[in-house]
Amino acid sequence: MNLHAILTCLTLVIPVVVFSQENRFYHENINYRDDIKSVQLFREGFELSNPVLELNEDARLILKFDDISGEVKNYYYTVLHCDANWNESFIRQNDYLDGFPDNPIDDYARSFNTTFNYINYYLELPNDRIRFKISGNYILLVFEDNNRQKLIFSRRFYITEPLVRVEALIRKATRDAYQGENQEVDFTLFHEKLRIDNPMDEVKVVVMQNNRWDNAIRNLKPLFIQPGRLVYDYAQENVFKAGNEFRYFDTRNHRLNGEGVDETSFFRPYYHITLTPAEVRSNRRYFSYREMNGRYVVESQEPVSDYDLECDYQFVHFSLMLDAPLMGGNIYVFGELTNWSTNKSNEMTWNFETHRYELTLLLKQGYYNYMYVYVPQGSRVVDHTNLEGSFWETENDYQIFVYYRDLSGRYDRLVGYSQFNSKNR
């Protein structure tokens, strides 16, 4: 089997961009080509940061990605404004962008000293060609040959105007005294800088756990409305399954087996990383350790000068031991390494001979977090407790986004954003 066939089998992605009832595109983080790997979008200076900028802030977002076809392509990008639910806004591009709508990605370089030949692409936002005029949700679309019909991938990011301050308390759920599986997110919005006449209709709040959208809470209304503040102190509507600490593995050194790695092999011409066979953790006690809440970083512990160009790709083999296959749904490898999504590209298959669920992913050298999740048939919300367990003590990051649109407004402004940690109050 040739390399292209192998990659197609391993990384088949089913696009899930759909039309809403208003015939507007709903935008997600999706890869449309199996040759595109290691897409990262973050604040300059910290790869684990969320892609959030303040309006007119003197800072940049950094986009990096690899094309493992080994051929230089004519990639372009554009940016679209979206509402709070990630449907494209009913406003013109020149209402929210200064500059040119479509621009080439012309900063790229070839890999070297690697078994996989790839092209690494680099982009900064904003830049001399494009700047943002308003706050809100934005989607970055990358396409080929200046043809938007030839989409390569899409990524979400945020531009804020800090008019609303958020304070939050994350604790063991009030109505979870015995089982101890859930975390409650109580928060208050302080809006002295922003006049809000009708909070029930003008304010939308989104609460996310570890940057996941599938289980985000989106329909909360303020429980108490007070002068200059909106209080969201619920006991049930603002509750998340706490889950467990993420699993991890380290592939930064091909000469030694890193954490979570059972075997490192070289079958010419590629490296193969076999992870330590995993066991179900839902029947075990909670154990605390530091991790990255599902993120990953591209790094090497070998003598290299440029991680972007000299970190190699390898086939990483996952396995989860079970007595029998689970019926009524599927099991996936889940985290930023799989775009926080569940589709054929990261769905595990049951091996009747080894009694294991197995999956192989092509990943760049680095340090990775992940977990095993179960998705019932017909559902888009993953169950991360069936296989991993859920404990209120688990360390999680929570993101709170505050959107505002008055009766005459044409788009959702992002007027508040904060991230909180369940342990570091």
Side-chain angles (χ1 to χ4, degrees), residues 340-354:
W340 299 103
S341 63
T342 53
N343 52 53
K344 288 297 182 182
S345 69
N346 59 318
E347 180 183 332
M348 307 188 78
T349 57
W350 175 255
N351 188 322
F352 286 91
E353 295 183 359
T354 62

Side-chain angles (χ1 to χ4, degrees), residues 95-164:
D95 288 335
Y96 54 85
L97 294 181
D98 259 337
F100 303 97
D102 298 353
N103 297 286
I105 302 178
D106 47 20
D107 190 345
Y108 58 85
R110 292 184 178 273
S111 65
F112 57 95
N113 297 328
T114 57
T115 62
F116 270 87
N117 295 320
Y118 59 87
I119 311 297
N120 178 259
Y121 292 83
Y122 178 92
L123 175 68
E124 295 183 359
L125 290 174
N127 52 51
D128 293 338
R129 294 169 174 167
I130 191 171
R131 305 193 71 84
F132 309 109
K133 298 166 68 173
I134 63 176
S135 67
N137 289 347
Y138 283 84
I139 190 77
L140 171 67
L141 302 179
V142 175
F143 45 93
E144 189 176 359
D145 296 333
N146 203 14
N147 182 352
R148 294 194 187 186
Q149 301 301 314
K150 299 172 68 175
L151 276 176
I152 304 302
F153 65 84
S154 57
R155 285 298 182 272
R156 295 172 172 179
F157 66 96
Y158 309 85
I159 303 296
T160 71
E161 46 181 323
L163 300 176
V164 173

Side-chain angles (χ1 to χ4, degrees), residues 200-333:
M200 293 296 184
D201 294 331
E202 296 176 347
V203 176
K204 297 179 182 178
V205 175
V206 175
V207 185
M208 299 173 65
Q209 181 190 61
N210 298 325
N211 298 287
R212 289 173 52 186
W213 185 253
D214 68 295
N215 66 341
I217 297 175
R218 293 180 284 170
N219 298 314
L220 286 180
K221 301 295 183 180
L223 187 61
F224 303 105
I225 300 175
Q226 302 169 349
R229 68 176 64 183
L230 305 176
V231 180
Y232 297 74
D233 188 4
Y234 287 91
Q236 186 173 357
E237 293 84 350
N238 54 345
V239 168
F240 290 82
K241 288 289 186 181
N244 205 341
E245 308 295 352
F246 282 82
R247 302 174 190 259
Y248 55 88
F249 63 90
D250 184 352
T251 63
R252 292 177 293 178
N253 194 331
H254 285 145
R255 301 174 185 176
L256 301 171
N257 291 335
E259 293 179 292
V261 174
D262 195 47
E263 183 180 6
T264 302
S265 305
F266 183 73
F267 298 108
R268 192 173 300 275
Y270 305 119
Y271 285 99
H272 289 257
I273 308 295
T274 301
L275 302 185
T276 303
E279 297 180 352
V280 173
R281 296 192 293 171
S282 57
N283 56 357
R284 296 187 175 186
R285 299 182 63 181
Y286 170 74
F287 178 72
S288 176
Y289 54 86
R290 296 188 64 182
E291 33 84 285
M292 302 184 300
N293 288 329
R295 312 297 287 270
Y296 73 88
V297 291
V298 172
E299 287 183 353
S300 175
Q301 293 179 336
E302 298 168 339
V304 301
S305 58
D306 191 327
Y307 292 158
D308 292 331
L309 303 179
E310 292 184 81
C311 283
D312 210 344
Y313 278 87
Q314 63 258 305
F315 292 99
V316 180
H317 303 279
F318 298 78
S319 62
L320 174 65
M321 298 184 294
L322 283 175
D323 294 331
L326 294 181
M327 308 304 292
N330 300 304
I331 294 178
Y332 300 85
V333 173

Side-chain angles (χ1 to χ4, degrees), residues 353-387:
E353 295 183 359
T354 62
H355 285 256
R356 297 176 181 178
Y357 277 93
E358 298 175 347
L359 175 69
T360 299
L361 294 175
L362 183 64
L363 300 172
K364 203 171 186 178
Q365 276 184 284
Y367 193 91
Y368 288 80
N369 278 187
Y370 71 103
M371 65 170 55
Y372 295 107
V373 299
Y374 173 79
V375 180
Q377 291 179 356
S379 175
R380 294 195 64 186
V381 180
V382 308
D383 180 349
H384 60 298
T385 64
N386 196 337
L387 301 172

